[in-house]
Amino acid sequence: MPLIVQKFGGTSVANSDKILAAARKAVRAHQQGNQVVMVVSAMGKNTDTLIKLSKEINEKPPAREMDMLLSTGEQVSVALMAMAIDSMGFKAVSLTGGQIGIKTDSSHTKARIHSISTDRMQRLLDDGNIVIAAGFQGIDEDLNITTLGRGGSDTTAVALAAVLGADQCEIYTDVDGIYTTDPRKLPEARLVKRVCYDEMLELASLGAGVMHSRSIEFGKKFNVPIHVRSSLSDVPGSLIVDTAGTSSLPVSGAALTRDEALISVVDVPDVAGTIHKIFAPIADKKITVDMIVQNVSAGGTTDISFTVPNEEMTDAIGAISRIVTDLRGKMGASDQHVSKVSAVGLGMAQQAGVANRMFRSLADAGVNLQIITTSEIKISVLVKRDVAIEALRTVHAEFELDQPHDDTDAACANEVTSKEPKSSISAVEVINRLQGAGMEALMIDDIALDNTQARITLQKIPNQPGLAASLFERVAAAGVFVDMIVQSHGSDQIADITFTVRRDQLSEALQVAQAVCDETGCQGVDHKEAIAKLSVSGIGLRSHTGVAIGMFAALADNGINVEMVNTSEVQVNVVVDGTDGEKGLEKLKEAFADSVR
Ligand code: ASP
Ligand code: MG
């Protein structure tokens, strides 16, 4: 019998009418001959209310007690949901995370799932029950209640779908599906019928706000098709599926992460190990560092800037201030009023000039870019928060995301045939491959070396709107293909721009760089003919903050200096000196031997 997992978010169970409506959806699926597992969030804003209450009593409540408290929200809704289904004359049993056997680690308030037992759910289903699972929670080895992090019910739902081999995982929410950007931020956002796991991973983490990103990691790892749809209507919604083929459109979505903070560390030694020393204590605190940029060294020291979620800024600074002093560096200016705007699309890996277009459109809108990072399928810029919405709107319009396009929705080629029990086979396979390491263990599928590139840096260039746009337009006009772009942050007026090009195009690129430097009055153009780009790709790279750190550690231990870094959900790239490439590759392979599946 087909099995469906249906997840209802807080807004979809906010009051008794909505709970009854959700119950009817489940009953309908049951009557159509499916086994049904519901995953339910806390009612409405109940989790927020509980958090507020806790803060009234204790500003820094113990994490264990926080989980004890927050898990009650979901316990209320599962019980009411079971009563709703019972009132319709159907059998239902509600279960907490612990009763299901969702085993997690002990990191309270951000626990990761290790394993899930299916016996009890399966028995109840075979007995004709609708099973109602509390989202967002589990238990650790000592039976302490844990929670998976805000928004974690999505992750519960996709994880249950994976282990049960469900045919569909439906996520019912208060929007119609996945949009080209968050429709609450931009009304012109458009529904997409289909988006690939990789794009969605970037968009979820970038703040598109629809899905918990670890749920997409589960989807990708266990090949669970995820169907995001409205709980208020029966419109089809959006599918998040496997990736194959590419769309002709370079960008599939744009995202705004509003509350970012920029932290700078200045005058630290530009030698192997510095990056590792700085980021290790941050990773220990499980703070996710996002954009990391490093200035090219001047006089043996370097400056490093990075972004963290605004609310973690104080903790992040606290974590590193000692080591920065030990390194004889200084904390630079930090900025709490910045936001990140990103464009994401599998299509941009195949097309040149996508970054230029984004920079030009932002320049024309008068938006200054404080930091730029690019990866294979994502371009991100950091801007002042008061222009963030305008920047998002500009990027969204530039890539015509506000226009209907049939082919955007065809970017992922694999058809989802709902009756094909594809996820059950792969779940078993994947769990075997993970060899008891836990369902949310890091999974690395490639470690690679690119030995073909050169680096160019424009040092201390006056930063104003249009700088990046005109530079990269001219580079493109010279026929030069650019791979990584990093603009680091000196002050509000001064920046360094570093980019990598194919080595055989270095001289053309240098000519352009020198001309731009002369015209703008930059301090100088620096370059290195032979750099090596080392990449680690896989699933869970960013939520496992250890990956970038593991790379930094492995390279530092072997005396290899890191010159550039960029991170995305699916890949972490570092640039090192060309002569260190082969050795770096070997050391990374050793360091990640346990995580390569
Ligand atoms: N109730 C939890 C929260 O508000 C989990 C969820 O809704 O997914 O974060
Ligand atoms: Mg949610």
Side-chain angles (χ1 to χ4, degrees):
M1 198 187 276
L3 196 158
I4 295 188
V5 173
Q6 296 185 325
K7 181 252 169 181
F8 293 88
T11 45
S12 309
V13 292
N15 56 39
S16 40
D17 284 343
K18 288 184 175 174
I19 290 176
L20 288 162
R24 276 192 292 274
K25 288 213 193 272
V27 165
R28 206 192 314 154
H30 181 81
Q31 284 178 312
Q32 286 164 353
N34 299 289
Q35 293 191 323
V36 180
V37 173
M38 296 176 88
V39 174
V40 188
S41 294
M43 292 172 71
K45 299 248 170 275
N46 201 1
T47 308
D48 292 328
T49 310
L50 292 172
I51 291 174
K52 192 164 162 274
L53 187 59
S54 72
K55 298 267 149 93
E56 282 169 22
I57 295 202
N58 182 335
E59 253 177 57
K60 274 202 173 285
R64 181 189 180 279
E65 304 312 329
M66 210 55 200
D67 281 351
M68 184 67 98
L69 177 70
L70 296 190
S71 62
T72 62
E74 272 68 15
Q75 202 172 325
V76 169
S77 20
V78 287
L80 293 173
M81 190 63 77
M83 294 175 191
I85 289 172
D86 177 79
S87 76
M88 294 165 192
F90 290 82
K91 296 207 296 183
V93 175
S94 64
L95 297 173
T96 63
Q99 287 173 329
I100 294 169
I102 300 185
K103 297 270 172 57
T104 71
D105 63 21
S106 304
S107 5
H108 285 290
T109 74
K110 21 179 141 174
R112 285 179 177 276
I113 299 176
H114 274 171
S115 64
I116 300 177
S117 34
T118 51
D119 302 359
R120 185 163 183 185
M121 285 187 292
Q122 204 61 66
R123 243 184 298 124
L124 289 168
L125 289 169
D126 292 344
D127 234 23
N129 292 286
I130 293 176
V131 169
I132 303 161
F136 169 62
Q137 54 175 266
I139 44 165
D140 75 359
E141 243 174 10
D142 296 326
L143 311 185
N144 293 304
I145 296 176
T146 55
T147 65
L148 308 180
R150 294 306 307 273
S153 297
D154 294 333
T155 292
T156 305
V158 182
L160 291 184
V163 293
L164 290 166
D167 301 86
Q168 275 273 5
C169 181
E170 296 182 327
I171 305 286
Y172 285 97
T173 176
D174 56 345
V175 289
D176 290 339
I178 309 291
Y179 281 74
T180 48
T181 194
D182 186 340
R184 286 166 291 200
K185 294 179 182 140
L186 278 195
E188 62 266 42
R190 197 178 46 78
L191 187 75
V192 288
K193 289 195 204 107
R194 199 178 257 267
V195 57
C196 314
Y197 294 126
D198 281 351
E199 291 171 330
M200 197 54 209
L201 270 168
E202 297 294 352
L203 289 166
S205 79
L206 293 175
V210 185
M211 296 284 291
H212 195 231
S213 45
R214 281 156 55 197
S215 69
I216 316 293
E217 290 177 4
F218 268 108
K220 181 173 176 185
K221 208 185 245 180
F222 296 90
N223 205 1
V224 181
I226 303 170
H227 188 175
V228 182
R229 53 193 310 186
S230 167
S231 56
L232 307 169
S233 73
D234 283 322
V235 299
S238 311
L239 280 173
I240 309 172
V241 288
D242 199 3
T243 155
T246 43
S247 149
S248 59
L249 283 179
V251 172
S252 315
L256 169 63
T257 317
R258 193 177 167 274
D259 296 317
E260 292 278 280
L262 174 66
I263 299 176
S264 305
V265 173
V266 298
D267 294 339
V268 288
D270 187 22
V271 294
T274 296
I275 286 230
H276 179 242
K277 286 185 189 133
I278 292 173
F279 289 107
I282 299 182
D284 284 347
K285 294 208 152 187
K286 296 208 170 168
I287 296 173
T288 14
V289 171
D290 187 16
M291 304 169 93
I292 301 177
V293 298
Q294 186 176 353
N295 284 354
V296 163
S297 176
T301 63
T302 185
D303 302 345
I304 299 169
S305 317
F306 56 94
T307 61
V308 296
N310 204 2
E311 75 266 14
E312 306 207 270
M313 186 178 93
T314 317
D315 277 355
I317 292 178
I320 61 172
S321 48
R322 243 205 79 192
I323 185 70
V324 171
T325 315
D326 289 352
L327 290 168
R328 302 200 180 159
K330 291 191 295 277
M331 293 306 301
S334 51
D335 189 345
Q336 275 197 284
H337 306 284
V338 287
S339 302
K340 181 180 61 169
V341 175
S342 305
V344 170
L346 285 182
M348 72 172 73
Q350 263 71 43
Q351 287 181 36
V354 180
N356 304 352
R357 270 177 75 184
M358 175 157 163
F359 300 153
R360 168 54 58 202
S361 64
L362 288 167
D364 290 347
V367 175
N368 200 23
L369 312 181
Q370 301 205 11
I371 281 192
I372 301 173
T373 60
T374 63
S375 71
E376 277 66 17
I377 66 165
K378 181 186 69 176
I379 303 163
S380 299
V381 298
L382 196 71
V383 302
K384 288 273 180 217
R385 193 168 300 144
D386 54 8
V387 296
I389 287 283
E390 188 48 34
L392 177 68
R393 171 167 290 127
T394 302
V395 171
H396 192 262
E398 171 60 30
F399 294 106
E400 295 167 21
L401 297 178
D402 48 354
Q403 314 289 320
H405 287 284
D406 285 345
D407 57 353
T408 20
D409 308 331
C412 326
N414 285 6
E415 265 307 314
V416 178
T417 43
S418 74
K419 294 287 175 281
E420 188 190 334
K422 162 167 143 175
S423 50
S424 67
I425 299 163
S426 58
V428 174
E429 266 171 19
V430 174
I431 288 169
N432 286 341
R433 278 171 69 194
L434 293 171
Q435 295 157 354
M439 290 183 76
E440 286 197 74
L442 174 67
M443 202 159 119
I444 286 176
D445 37 53
D446 196 24
I447 300 178
L449 165 65
D450 174 356
N451 237 338
T452 62
Q453 299 197 52
R455 167 184 67 72
I456 297 181
T457 303
L458 285 87
Q459 289 169 312
K460 303 225 182 329
I461 188 162
N463 186 14
Q464 58 209 16
L467 169 62
S470 57
L471 171 63
F472 290 107
E473 277 166 2
R474 286 166 68 169
V475 172
V480 173
F481 188 80
V482 174
D483 181 17
M484 290 166 78
I485 298 175
V486 162
Q487 177 183 308
S488 64
H489 181 72
S491 68
D492 282 348
Q493 288 84 38
I494 301 287
D496 283 4
I497 299 188
T498 299
F499 58 103
T500 68
V501 299
R502 285 200 340 244
R503 208 165 292 152
D504 58 2
Q505 296 193 312
L506 176 62
S507 54
E508 291 94 313
L510 270 176
Q511 269 175 25
V512 178
Q514 193 59 57
V516 171
C517 186
D518 293 344
E519 286 160 30
T520 52
C522 94
Q523 197 184 71
V525 176
D526 180 78
H527 76 279
K528 189 177 256 188
E529 188 166 348
I531 56 160
K533 175 174 160 189
L534 293 161
S535 318
V536 172
S537 40
I539 304 175
L541 296 197
R542 200 164 18 198
S543 62
H544 289 267
T545 40
V547 178
I549 285 298
M551 290 176 79
F552 299 160
L555 297 170
D557 288 349
N558 292 284
I560 299 175
N561 192 17
V562 173
E563 298 180 11
M564 281 172 89
V565 183
N566 83 34
T567 62
S568 73
E569 288 298 322
V570 292
Q571 192 157 328
V572 179
N573 298 310
V574 300
V575 167
V576 300
D577 191 87
T579 55
D580 288 329
E582 296 290 347
K583 182 168 158 204
L585 179 65
E586 186 193 318
K587 297 302 171 191
L588 290 181
K589 283 190 171 158
E590 281 170 28
F592 289 103
D594 285 351
S595 306
V596 176
R597 317 287 174 192

